[in-house]
Amino acid sequence: MEFGSDSSTQRDAERLILDAVARSVGVLLTPNRLTLRNGAFVDVDGVATDESVLVEVFAHQGHLKGGQRHKIAGDALKLISIAREKDPPASVRAGVRRSPDHHVLCRQELA
């Protein structure tokens, strides 16, 4: 059985979104595994070299389904949790692309 989606297309779109966010904030962003104070680790789509900017990316076409909404919410919670462990807190961004003409860049500065 063949499905209509191709994960390589999604990965390519997510890379383009991450590059656009990097240009927007003026820092190099690369995927990275960060270790939390409790020893747990998390994978983050884009991390600045000094860990001052954290980015999660989600690319999707069409309407979001329940599980996809939960993934975005989970990614946001993950970023906020990591950012609060940083001193000073990291800047959090989420890049979302739902279709070629619908882009969202969310930014949150934590105090």
Side-chain angles (χ1 to χ4, degrees):
M1 179 181 284
E2 196 170 313
F3 295 96
S5 64
D6 179 358
S7 63
S8 67
T9 302
Q10 182 174 350
R11 284 190 308 272
D12 291 346
E14 289 177 352
R15 182 72 241 175
L16 291 172
I17 295 167
L18 187 60
D19 290 346
V21 174
R23 282 191 305 277
S24 171
V25 298
V27 298
L28 177 66
L29 297 169
T30 57
N32 202 350
R33 176 170 283 180
L34 301 178
T35 303
L36 303 178
R37 279 181 262 191
N38 66 5
F41 64 86
V42 290
D43 293 318
V44 180
D45 292 338
V47 180
T49 306
D50 63 359
E51 298 182 5
S52 63
V53 178
L54 308 173
V55 177
E56 280 294 315
V57 177
F58 182 76
H60 178 73
Q61 280 194 283
H63 295 287
L64 295 176
K65 297 179 181 159
Q68 294 161 331
R69 291 179 192 271
H70 291 277
K71 182 196 180 314
I72 294 170
D75 284 350
L77 180 59
K78 174 174 73 172
L79 290 179
I80 291 167
S81 298
I82 299 166
R84 289 198 170 159
E85 283 200 359
K86 303 292 176 192
D87 188 22
S91 174
V92 173
R93 288 174 168 71
V96 178
R97 181 178 184 199
R98 284 189 28 211
S99 66
D101 60 346
H102 185 258
H103 305 273
V104 178
L105 175 60
C106 305
R107 180 178 118 175
Q108 179 64 48
E109 302 291 339
L110 303 175

